[in-house]
mmCIF file of all heavy atoms in Angstrom:
data_model
loop_
_atom_site.group_PDB
_atom_site.id
_atom_site.type_symbol
_atom_site.label_atom_id
_atom_site.label_comp_id
_atom_site.label_asym_id
_atom_site.label_seq_id
_atom_site.Cartn_x
_atom_site.Cartn_y
_atom_site.Cartn_z
ATOM 1 N N VAL Z 1326 -18.963 -6.021 0.219
ATOM 2 C CA VAL Z 1326 -18.307 -4.962 0.988
ATOM 3 C C VAL Z 1326 -18.525 -5.284 2.468
ATOM 4 O O VAL Z 1326 -19.668 -5.452 2.903
ATOM 5 C CB VAL Z 1326 -18.884 -3.576 0.630
ATOM 6 C CG1 VAL Z 1326 -18.266 -2.501 1.514
ATOM 7 C CG2 VAL Z 1326 -18.671 -3.268 -0.841
ATOM 8 N N VAL Z 1327 -17.440 -5.401 3.213
ATOM 9 C CA VAL Z 1327 -17.562 -5.848 4.595
ATOM 10 C C VAL Z 1327 -17.262 -4.733 5.605
ATOM 11 O O VAL Z 1327 -17.213 -4.988 6.811
ATOM 12 C CB VAL Z 1327 -16.650 -7.069 4.853
ATOM 13 C CG1 VAL Z 1327 -17.130 -8.268 4.043
ATOM 14 C CG2 VAL Z 1327 -15.192 -6.750 4.550
ATOM 15 N N ARG Z 1328 -17.032 -3.476 5.094
ATOM 16 C CA ARG Z 1328 -17.008 -2.330 5.997
ATOM 17 C C ARG Z 1328 -17.350 -1.110 5.137
ATOM 18 O O ARG Z 1328 -17.223 -1.142 3.907
ATOM 19 C CB ARG Z 1328 -15.643 -2.180 6.670
ATOM 20 C CG ARG Z 1328 -14.542 -1.619 5.826
ATOM 21 C CD ARG Z 1328 -13.264 -1.433 6.627
ATOM 22 N NE ARG Z 1328 -12.301 -0.702 5.809
ATOM 23 C CZ ARG Z 1328 -10.999 -0.803 5.930
ATOM 24 N NH1 ARG Z 1328 -10.499 -1.626 6.840
ATOM 25 N NH2 ARG Z 1328 -10.192 -0.091 5.166
ATOM 26 N N ASP Z 1329 -17.824 -0.051 5.765
ATOM 27 C CA ASP Z 1329 -18.217 1.142 5.013
ATOM 28 C C ASP Z 1329 -17.030 1.679 4.214
ATOM 29 O O ASP Z 1329 -15.908 1.774 4.728
ATOM 30 C CB ASP Z 1329 -18.714 2.232 5.967
ATOM 31 C CG ASP Z 1329 -19.975 1.814 6.719
ATOM 32 O OD1 ASP Z 1329 -20.626 0.836 6.278
ATOM 33 O OD2 ASP Z 1329 -20.301 2.443 7.739
ATOM 34 N N VAL Z 1330 -17.287 2.014 2.940
ATOM 35 C CA VAL Z 1330 -16.220 2.552 2.079
ATOM 36 C C VAL Z 1330 -16.721 3.835 1.415
ATOM 37 O O VAL Z 1330 -17.923 4.097 1.316
ATOM 38 C CB VAL Z 1330 -15.804 1.538 0.998
ATOM 39 C CG1 VAL Z 1330 -15.181 0.297 1.619
ATOM 40 C CG2 VAL Z 1330 -16.976 1.147 0.109
ATOM 41 N N ARG Z 1331 -15.738 4.682 0.969
ATOM 42 C CA ARG Z 1331 -16.042 5.945 0.285
ATOM 43 C C ARG Z 1331 -15.661 5.835 -1.189
ATOM 44 O O ARG Z 1331 -14.796 5.045 -1.571
ATOM 45 C CB ARG Z 1331 -15.229 7.091 0.913
ATOM 46 C CG ARG Z 1331 -15.531 7.352 2.375
ATOM 47 C CD ARG Z 1331 -16.899 7.974 2.535
ATOM 48 N NE ARG Z 1331 -17.176 8.355 3.912
ATOM 49 C CZ ARG Z 1331 -18.327 8.868 4.303
ATOM 50 N NH1 ARG Z 1331 -19.298 9.065 3.431
ATOM 51 N NH2 ARG Z 1331 -18.514 9.183 5.573
ATOM 52 N N ALA Z 1332 -16.311 6.680 -2.003
ATOM 53 C CA ALA Z 1332 -15.963 6.756 -3.425
ATOM 54 C C ALA Z 1332 -14.481 7.087 -3.560
ATOM 55 O O ALA Z 1332 -13.946 7.933 -2.834
ATOM 56 C CB ALA Z 1332 -16.816 7.805 -4.132
ATOM 57 N N GLY Z 1333 -13.785 6.411 -4.483
ATOM 58 C CA GLY Z 1333 -12.366 6.629 -4.712
ATOM 59 C C GLY Z 1333 -11.468 5.753 -3.869
ATOM 60 O O GLY Z 1333 -10.264 5.658 -4.140
ATOM 61 N N GLU Z 1334 -12.007 5.126 -2.827
ATOM 62 C CA GLU Z 1334 -11.202 4.256 -1.974
ATOM 63 C C GLU Z 1334 -10.864 2.968 -2.735
ATOM 64 O O GLU Z 1334 -11.648 2.471 -3.546
ATOM 65 C CB GLU Z 1334 -11.983 3.936 -0.700
ATOM 66 C CG GLU Z 1334 -11.187 3.173 0.351
ATOM 67 C CD GLU Z 1334 -11.979 2.969 1.641
ATOM 68 O OE1 GLU Z 1334 -12.956 3.727 1.890
ATOM 69 O OE2 GLU Z 1334 -11.625 2.023 2.384
ATOM 70 N N ALA Z 1335 -9.680 2.429 -2.485
ATOM 71 C CA ALA Z 1335 -9.252 1.220 -3.177
ATOM 72 C C ALA Z 1335 -9.937 -0.014 -2.590
ATOM 73 O O ALA Z 1335 -10.219 -0.089 -1.386
ATOM 74 C CB ALA Z 1335 -7.745 1.067 -3.071
ATOM 75 N N VAL Z 1336 -10.188 -0.967 -3.480
ATOM 76 C CA VAL Z 1336 -10.692 -2.276 -3.048
ATOM 77 C C VAL Z 1336 -9.525 -3.063 -2.455
ATOM 78 O O VAL Z 1336 -8.476 -3.197 -3.092
ATOM 79 C CB VAL Z 1336 -11.308 -3.050 -4.224
ATOM 80 C CG1 VAL Z 1336 -11.738 -4.454 -3.779
ATOM 81 C CG2 VAL Z 1336 -12.485 -2.299 -4.826
ATOM 82 N N THR Z 1337 -9.716 -3.550 -1.234
ATOM 83 C CA THR Z 1337 -8.684 -4.354 -0.579
ATOM 84 C C THR Z 1337 -9.328 -5.628 -0.029
ATOM 85 O O THR Z 1337 -10.558 -5.767 0.011
ATOM 86 C CB THR Z 1337 -8.036 -3.592 0.587
ATOM 87 O OG1 THR Z 1337 -9.015 -3.439 1.637
ATOM 88 C CG2 THR Z 1337 -7.541 -2.219 0.144
ATOM 89 N N ARG Z 1338 -8.461 -6.522 0.441
ATOM 90 C CA ARG Z 1338 -8.984 -7.757 1.041
ATOM 91 C C ARG Z 1338 -9.526 -7.513 2.441
ATOM 92 O O ARG Z 1338 -10.113 -8.416 3.045
ATOM 93 C CB ARG Z 1338 -7.905 -8.833 1.063
ATOM 94 C CG ARG Z 1338 -7.544 -9.316 -0.351
ATOM 95 C CD ARG Z 1338 -6.428 -10.348 -0.339
ATOM 96 N NE ARG Z 1338 -6.084 -10.780 -1.686
ATOM 97 C CZ ARG Z 1338 -6.576 -11.848 -2.311
ATOM 98 N NH1 ARG Z 1338 -7.471 -12.596 -1.685
ATOM 99 N NH2 ARG Z 1338 -6.191 -12.156 -3.531
ATOM 100 N N GLU Z 1339 -9.358 -6.286 2.934
ATOM 101 C CA GLU Z 1339 -9.925 -5.941 4.231
ATOM 102 C C GLU Z 1339 -11.336 -5.380 4.098
ATOM 103 O O GLU Z 1339 -12.151 -5.518 5.002
ATOM 104 C CB GLU Z 1339 -9.044 -4.919 4.951
ATOM 105 C CG GLU Z 1339 -7.766 -5.499 5.543
ATOM 106 C CD GLU Z 1339 -6.780 -5.920 4.472
ATOM 107 O OE1 GLU Z 1339 -6.615 -5.145 3.494
ATOM 108 O OE2 GLU Z 1339 -6.203 -7.018 4.581
ATOM 109 N N ASN Z 1340 -11.638 -4.697 2.955
ATOM 110 C CA ASN Z 1340 -12.986 -4.127 2.821
ATOM 111 C C ASN Z 1340 -13.896 -4.934 1.871
ATOM 112 O O ASN Z 1340 -15.082 -4.670 1.761
ATOM 113 C CB ASN Z 1340 -12.943 -2.658 2.390
ATOM 114 C CG ASN Z 1340 -12.187 -2.429 1.093
ATOM 115 O OD1 ASN Z 1340 -12.124 -3.303 0.245
ATOM 116 N ND2 ASN Z 1340 -11.618 -1.223 0.943
ATOM 117 N N VAL Z 1341 -13.340 -5.935 1.208
ATOM 118 C CA VAL Z 1341 -14.136 -6.842 0.367
ATOM 119 C C VAL Z 1341 -13.700 -8.272 0.666
ATOM 120 O O VAL Z 1341 -12.510 -8.578 0.646
ATOM 121 C CB VAL Z 1341 -13.942 -6.529 -1.137
ATOM 122 C CG1 VAL Z 1341 -14.567 -7.643 -1.992
ATOM 123 C CG2 VAL Z 1341 -14.555 -5.189 -1.495
ATOM 124 N N ARG Z 1342 -14.681 -9.107 0.978
ATOM 125 C CA ARG Z 1342 -14.386 -10.517 1.255
ATOM 126 C C ARG Z 1342 -15.467 -11.417 0.656
ATOM 127 O O ARG Z 1342 -16.571 -10.975 0.350
ATOM 128 C CB ARG Z 1342 -14.328 -10.771 2.762
ATOM 129 C CG ARG Z 1342 -13.061 -10.270 3.428
ATOM 130 C CD ARG Z 1342 -12.873 -10.835 4.836
ATOM 131 N NE ARG Z 1342 -13.874 -10.414 5.796
ATOM 132 C CZ ARG Z 1342 -14.757 -11.206 6.389
ATOM 133 N NH1 ARG Z 1342 -14.802 -12.506 6.093
ATOM 134 N NH2 ARG Z 1342 -15.624 -10.725 7.267
ATOM 135 N N SER Z 1343 -15.115 -12.702 0.563
ATOM 136 C CA SER Z 1343 -16.086 -13.734 0.169
ATOM 137 C C SER Z 1343 -16.872 -14.146 1.412
ATOM 138 O O SER Z 1343 -16.301 -14.670 2.367
ATOM 139 C CB SER Z 1343 -15.348 -14.945 -0.412
ATOM 140 O OG SER Z 1343 -16.228 -16.047 -0.505
ATOM 141 N N ILE Z 1344 -18.168 -13.883 1.378
ATOM 142 C CA ILE Z 1344 -19.044 -14.249 2.500
ATOM 143 C C ILE Z 1344 -20.362 -14.777 1.930
ATOM 144 O O ILE Z 1344 -20.626 -14.716 0.736
ATOM 145 C CB ILE Z 1344 -19.325 -13.043 3.427
ATOM 146 C CG1 ILE Z 1344 -20.112 -11.946 2.669
ATOM 147 C CG2 ILE Z 1344 -18.043 -12.492 4.025
ATOM 148 C CD1 ILE Z 1344 -20.671 -10.875 3.577
ATOM 149 N N ARG Z 1345 -21.191 -15.290 2.789
ATOM 150 C CA ARG Z 1345 -22.576 -15.555 2.442
ATOM 151 C C ARG Z 1345 -23.366 -14.279 2.681
ATOM 152 O O ARG Z 1345 -23.052 -13.553 3.633
ATOM 153 C CB ARG Z 1345 -23.144 -16.692 3.290
ATOM 154 C CG ARG Z 1345 -22.453 -18.032 3.064
ATOM 155 C CD ARG Z 1345 -23.151 -19.111 3.859
ATOM 156 N NE ARG Z 1345 -22.473 -20.403 3.727
ATOM 157 C CZ ARG Z 1345 -22.966 -21.543 4.200
ATOM 158 N NH1 ARG Z 1345 -24.132 -21.537 4.817
ATOM 159 N NH2 ARG Z 1345 -22.304 -22.665 4.056
ATOM 160 N N PRO Z 1346 -24.384 -13.924 1.866
ATOM 161 C CA PRO Z 1346 -25.100 -14.703 0.859
ATOM 162 C C PRO Z 1346 -24.560 -14.468 -0.545
ATOM 163 O O PRO Z 1346 -23.513 -13.844 -0.739
ATOM 164 C CB PRO Z 1346 -26.518 -14.155 0.987
ATOM 165 C CG PRO Z 1346 -26.291 -12.696 1.283
ATOM 166 C CD PRO Z 1346 -25.082 -12.656 2.172
ATOM 167 N N ALA Z 1347 -25.339 -14.968 -1.549
ATOM 168 C CA ALA Z 1347 -25.035 -14.707 -2.950
ATOM 169 C C ALA Z 1347 -25.451 -13.275 -3.290
ATOM 170 O O ALA Z 1347 -25.971 -12.544 -2.443
ATOM 171 C CB ALA Z 1347 -25.780 -15.706 -3.838
ATOM 172 N N GLY Z 1348 -25.229 -12.893 -4.532
ATOM 173 C CA GLY Z 1348 -25.638 -11.560 -4.971
ATOM 174 C C GLY Z 1348 -24.494 -10.701 -5.458
ATOM 175 O O GLY Z 1348 -24.688 -9.784 -6.255
ATOM 176 N N GLY Z 1349 -23.260 -10.984 -4.981
ATOM 177 C CA GLY Z 1349 -22.094 -10.238 -5.435
ATOM 178 C C GLY Z 1349 -21.332 -10.995 -6.505
ATOM 179 O O GLY Z 1349 -21.768 -12.053 -6.973
ATOM 180 N N LEU Z 1350 -20.189 -10.469 -6.881
ATOM 181 C CA LEU Z 1350 -19.347 -11.150 -7.847
ATOM 182 C C LEU Z 1350 -18.852 -12.477 -7.274
ATOM 183 O O LEU Z 1350 -18.776 -12.651 -6.051
ATOM 184 C CB LEU Z 1350 -18.151 -10.264 -8.199
ATOM 185 C CG LEU Z 1350 -18.482 -8.968 -8.957
ATOM 186 C CD1 LEU Z 1350 -17.227 -8.116 -9.112
ATOM 187 C CD2 LEU Z 1350 -19.094 -9.270 -10.316
ATOM 188 N N PRO Z 1351 -18.495 -13.442 -8.141
ATOM 189 C CA PRO Z 1351 -18.024 -14.728 -7.629
ATOM 190 C C PRO Z 1351 -16.736 -14.579 -6.831
ATOM 191 O O PRO Z 1351 -15.914 -13.700 -7.124
ATOM 192 C CB PRO Z 1351 -17.822 -15.566 -8.894
ATOM 193 C CG PRO Z 1351 -17.717 -14.590 -10.004
ATOM 194 C CD PRO Z 1351 -18.547 -13.412 -9.616
ATOM 195 N N PRO Z 1352 -16.518 -15.440 -5.836
ATOM 196 C CA PRO Z 1352 -15.317 -15.339 -5.004
ATOM 197 C C PRO Z 1352 -14.016 -15.354 -5.805
ATOM 198 O O PRO Z 1352 -13.034 -14.712 -5.412
ATOM 199 C CB PRO Z 1352 -15.424 -16.562 -4.083
ATOM 200 C CG PRO Z 1352 -16.888 -16.802 -3.964
ATOM 201 C CD PRO Z 1352 -17.449 -16.475 -5.311
ATOM 202 N N ASP Z 1353 -14.002 -16.038 -6.923
ATOM 203 C CA ASP Z 1353 -12.775 -16.151 -7.704
ATOM 204 C C ASP Z 1353 -12.373 -14.837 -8.382
ATOM 205 O O ASP Z 1353 -11.269 -14.722 -8.917
ATOM 206 C CB ASP Z 1353 -12.935 -17.247 -8.765
ATOM 207 C CG ASP Z 1353 -11.601 -17.717 -9.316
ATOM 208 O OD1 ASP Z 1353 -10.643 -17.842 -8.527
ATOM 209 O OD2 ASP Z 1353 -11.515 -17.939 -10.535
ATOM 210 N N ALA Z 1354 -13.258 -13.823 -8.320
ATOM 211 C CA ALA Z 1354 -12.943 -12.524 -8.924
ATOM 212 C C ALA Z 1354 -12.123 -11.630 -7.997
ATOM 213 O O ALA Z 1354 -11.769 -10.505 -8.368
ATOM 214 C CB ALA Z 1354 -14.242 -11.810 -9.319
ATOM 215 N N ILE Z 1355 -11.784 -12.116 -6.800
ATOM 216 C CA ILE Z 1355 -11.130 -11.262 -5.813
ATOM 217 C C ILE Z 1355 -9.818 -10.676 -6.333
ATOM 218 O O ILE Z 1355 -9.522 -9.485 -6.128
ATOM 219 C CB ILE Z 1355 -10.899 -12.021 -4.483
ATOM 220 C CG1 ILE Z 1355 -10.356 -11.082 -3.405
ATOM 221 C CG2 ILE Z 1355 -10.028 -13.236 -4.692
ATOM 222 C CD1 ILE Z 1355 -11.308 -9.990 -3.005
ATOM 223 N N ASP Z 1356 -9.016 -11.446 -7.054
ATOM 224 C CA ASP Z 1356 -7.740 -10.924 -7.553
ATOM 225 C C ASP Z 1356 -7.963 -9.849 -8.626
ATOM 226 O O ASP Z 1356 -7.188 -8.891 -8.728
ATOM 227 C CB ASP Z 1356 -6.888 -12.051 -8.139
ATOM 228 C CG ASP Z 1356 -6.341 -12.987 -7.063
ATOM 229 O OD1 ASP Z 1356 -6.233 -12.547 -5.903
ATOM 230 O OD2 ASP Z 1356 -6.042 -14.153 -7.378
ATOM 231 N N GLU Z 1357 -9.028 -9.995 -9.382
ATOM 232 C CA GLU Z 1357 -9.307 -9.056 -10.469
ATOM 233 C C GLU Z 1357 -9.807 -7.706 -9.940
ATOM 234 O O GLU Z 1357 -9.587 -6.670 -10.555
ATOM 235 C CB GLU Z 1357 -10.317 -9.669 -11.441
ATOM 236 C CG GLU Z 1357 -10.471 -8.894 -12.738
ATOM 237 C CD GLU Z 1357 -11.333 -9.618 -13.754
ATOM 238 O OE1 GLU Z 1357 -11.740 -10.776 -13.492
ATOM 239 O OE2 GLU Z 1357 -11.608 -9.024 -14.808
ATOM 240 N N VAL Z 1358 -10.502 -7.711 -8.812
ATOM 241 C CA VAL Z 1358 -11.085 -6.461 -8.301
ATOM 242 C C VAL Z 1358 -10.157 -5.752 -7.314
ATOM 243 O O VAL Z 1358 -10.289 -4.543 -7.096
ATOM 244 C CB VAL Z 1358 -12.461 -6.709 -7.659
ATOM 245 C CG1 VAL Z 1358 -13.420 -7.319 -8.668
ATOM 246 C CG2 VAL Z 1358 -12.346 -7.590 -6.411
ATOM 247 N N THR Z 1359 -9.261 -6.498 -6.678
ATOM 248 C CA THR Z 1359 -8.369 -5.882 -5.692
ATOM 249 C C THR Z 1359 -7.524 -4.789 -6.369
ATOM 250 O O THR Z 1359 -6.928 -5.006 -7.423
ATOM 251 C CB THR Z 1359 -7.451 -6.937 -5.059
ATOM 252 O OG1 THR Z 1359 -8.253 -7.921 -4.393
ATOM 253 C CG2 THR Z 1359 -6.502 -6.299 -4.052
ATOM 254 N N GLY Z 1360 -7.493 -3.587 -5.744
ATOM 255 C CA GLY Z 1360 -6.732 -2.456 -6.267
ATOM 256 C C GLY Z 1360 -7.568 -1.490 -7.096
ATOM 257 O O GLY Z 1360 -7.157 -0.340 -7.329
ATOM 258 N N ARG Z 1361 -8.741 -1.925 -7.542
ATOM 259 C CA ARG Z 1361 -9.624 -0.996 -8.258
ATOM 260 C C ARG Z 1361 -10.243 -0.026 -7.256
ATOM 261 O O ARG Z 1361 -10.147 -0.224 -6.040
ATOM 262 C CB ARG Z 1361 -10.706 -1.765 -9.022
ATOM 263 C CG ARG Z 1361 -10.129 -2.690 -10.122
ATOM 264 C CD ARG Z 1361 -11.235 -3.293 -10.949
ATOM 265 N NE ARG Z 1361 -10.693 -4.231 -11.951
ATOM 266 C CZ ARG Z 1361 -11.125 -4.311 -13.191
ATOM 267 N NH1 ARG Z 1361 -12.093 -3.490 -13.616
ATOM 268 N NH2 ARG Z 1361 -10.609 -5.191 -14.021
ATOM 269 N N ARG Z 1362 -10.921 0.990 -7.762
ATOM 270 C CA ARG Z 1362 -11.475 2.040 -6.905
ATOM 271 C C ARG Z 1362 -13.001 1.968 -6.905
ATOM 272 O O ARG Z 1362 -13.626 1.647 -7.926
ATOM 273 C CB ARG Z 1362 -11.043 3.404 -7.421
ATOM 274 C CG ARG Z 1362 -9.509 3.541 -7.515
ATOM 275 C CD ARG Z 1362 -8.962 4.335 -6.364
ATOM 276 N NE ARG Z 1362 -7.511 4.291 -6.304
ATOM 277 C CZ ARG Z 1362 -6.832 4.482 -5.199
ATOM 278 N NH1 ARG Z 1362 -7.476 4.737 -4.078
ATOM 279 N NH2 ARG Z 1362 -5.509 4.437 -5.195
ATOM 280 N N PHE Z 1363 -13.569 2.265 -5.737
ATOM 281 C CA PHE Z 1363 -15.022 2.334 -5.641
ATOM 282 C C PHE Z 1363 -15.530 3.577 -6.374
ATOM 283 O O PHE Z 1363 -14.948 4.666 -6.281
ATOM 284 C CB PHE Z 1363 -15.467 2.386 -4.171
ATOM 285 C CG PHE Z 1363 -15.311 1.070 -3.460
ATOM 286 C CD1 PHE Z 1363 -14.199 0.824 -2.657
ATOM 287 C CD2 PHE Z 1363 -16.259 0.079 -3.606
ATOM 288 C CE1 PHE Z 1363 -14.042 -0.392 -2.008
ATOM 289 C CE2 PHE Z 1363 -16.122 -1.141 -2.958
ATOM 290 C CZ PHE Z 1363 -15.012 -1.384 -2.159
ATOM 291 N N THR Z 1364 -16.616 3.433 -7.125
ATOM 292 C CA THR Z 1364 -17.205 4.551 -7.878
ATOM 293 C C THR Z 1364 -18.126 5.391 -7.016
ATOM 294 O O THR Z 1364 -18.493 6.503 -7.397
ATOM 295 C CB THR Z 1364 -17.990 4.019 -9.093
ATOM 296 O OG1 THR Z 1364 -19.019 3.123 -8.624
ATOM 297 C CG2 THR Z 1364 -17.067 3.288 -10.061
ATOM 298 N N ARG Z 1365 -18.534 4.849 -5.868
ATOM 299 C CA ARG Z 1365 -19.438 5.594 -4.984
ATOM 300 C C ARG Z 1365 -19.305 5.042 -3.570
ATOM 301 O O ARG Z 1365 -18.694 3.997 -3.363
ATOM 302 C CB ARG Z 1365 -20.891 5.487 -5.453
ATOM 303 C CG ARG Z 1365 -21.448 4.076 -5.473
ATOM 304 C CD ARG Z 1365 -22.910 4.062 -5.972
ATOM 305 N NE ARG Z 1365 -23.504 2.737 -5.883
ATOM 306 C CZ ARG Z 1365 -23.433 1.817 -6.809
ATOM 307 N NH1 ARG Z 1365 -22.752 2.066 -7.926
ATOM 308 N NH2 ARG Z 1365 -24.020 0.640 -6.632
ATOM 309 N N ASP Z 1366 -19.896 5.765 -2.634
ATOM 310 C CA ASP Z 1366 -19.924 5.274 -1.250
ATOM 311 C C ASP Z 1366 -20.747 3.978 -1.198
ATOM 312 O O ASP Z 1366 -21.728 3.823 -1.930
ATOM 313 C CB ASP Z 1366 -20.560 6.300 -0.323
ATOM 314 C CG ASP Z 1366 -19.757 7.586 -0.224
ATOM 315 O OD1 ASP Z 1366 -18.620 7.618 -0.744
ATOM 316 O OD2 ASP Z 1366 -20.280 8.555 0.369
ATOM 317 N N ALA Z 1367 -20.338 3.090 -0.300
ATOM 318 C CA ALA Z 1367 -21.088 1.838 -0.123
ATOM 319 C C ALA Z 1367 -20.979 1.392 1.333
ATOM 320 O O ALA Z 1367 -19.875 1.334 1.883
ATOM 321 C CB ALA Z 1367 -20.557 0.750 -1.044
ATOM 322 N N PRO Z 1368 -22.100 1.096 1.951
ATOM 323 C CA PRO Z 1368 -22.059 0.642 3.346
ATOM 324 C C PRO Z 1368 -21.720 -0.845 3.437
ATOM 325 O O PRO Z 1368 -21.842 -1.606 2.470
ATOM 326 C CB PRO Z 1368 -23.490 0.902 3.825
ATOM 327 C CG PRO Z 1368 -24.330 0.733 2.598
ATOM 328 C CD PRO Z 1368 -23.496 1.248 1.461
ATOM 329 N N LEU Z 1369 -21.307 -1.277 4.635
ATOM 330 C CA LEU Z 1369 -21.111 -2.691 4.936
ATOM 331 C C LEU Z 1369 -22.360 -3.469 4.511
ATOM 332 O O LEU Z 1369 -23.486 -3.026 4.729
ATOM 333 C CB LEU Z 1369 -20.876 -2.857 6.443
ATOM 334 C CG LEU Z 1369 -20.826 -4.276 7.025
ATOM 335 C CD1 LEU Z 1369 -19.860 -4.324 8.210
ATOM 336 C CD2 LEU Z 1369 -22.210 -4.726 7.478
ATOM 337 N N GLY Z 1370 -22.144 -4.639 3.901
ATOM 338 C CA GLY Z 1370 -23.283 -5.470 3.497
ATOM 339 C C GLY Z 1370 -23.748 -5.213 2.083
ATOM 340 O O GLY Z 1370 -24.776 -5.767 1.670
#
């Protein structure tokens, strides 16, 4: 998550990106997650 998001907000290429470090889903999952909704608030990082 590369900017603060709220629960219910859609996953977009603007609020989720492939960056360093590890710990998140693999970069190749970006097409699969885009358009889904966040289940809770999440801060940048």
Side-chain angles (χ1 to χ4, degrees):
V1326 176
V1327 294
R1328 76 176 188 208
D1329 296 344
V1330 295
R1331 298 289 185 183
E1334 187 176 339
V1336 176
T1337 68
R1338 292 178 181 266
E1339 285 69 43
N1340 57 28
V1341 169
R1342 284 194 295 115
S1343 167
I1344 64 168
R1345 297 184 183 188
L1350 293 174
D1353 198 40
I1355 186 64
D1356 289 336
E1357 191 172 355
V1358 301
T1359 299
R1361 297 187 183 221
R1362 303 258 170 205
F1363 287 98
T1364 59
R1365 61 181 185 272
D1366 296 351
L1369 172 148

